[in-house]
Amino acid sequence: MNTPFRLDDHKRWSQPLAPPPDRYFEQLPTRVMARVQPTEATGLAGTWGWLQQLSAPVRTALASAVVLGGFATSFWLTQPGAPTTSAATAALATVPQAEMVQYLLASDQRVTLTDLAELSEAPSDMSEAYLQASPAELQDALDSQPSDEAYF
């Protein structure tokens, strides 16, 4: 048979705790604050101390200027016409277009739509130079393509 459990049998103290000293809780905040070191004792006071000397509106304006400057710099650096170009892009720009087209037509690799989508600008007269088909041939090629009536 199990013996019944009584909490009173397992207490550590048989007497209640002693009351705190007089005015202990009134003096506690001032005693704690006296032990806290001032902020000048840390290393941040020398580095960022000048920022605390500024008024709140000036600090707000300074923070706004820093954020706006960071945004403008990141926007300027990500523009397509940014002043920095890679050496590979510069070397590729020196290759004549006729040689590029000849290489693409002669190689076994197929050019996909994603490859063509990476072109930034295509010259408008490129189709006239490399596409030599009569209007009748173009119309026959377009007519031979299957069309779905749902798109009309």
Side-chain angles (χ1 to χ4, degrees), residues 3 6 40:
T3 59
R6 293 189 48 198
E40 285 92 30

Side-chain angles (χ1 to χ4, degrees), residues 82-98:
T84 58
T85 60
S86 67
T89 306
L92 188 60
T94 60
V95 177
Q97 284 187 347

Side-chain angles (χ1 to χ4, degrees), residues 39-55 58-59 62:
T39 57
E40 285 92 30
T42 62
L44 290 176
T47 307
W48 297 100
W50 62 272
L51 192 59
Q52 293 177 350
Q53 301 297 327
L54 299 175
S55 65
V58 173
R59 284 187 295 205
L62 182 63

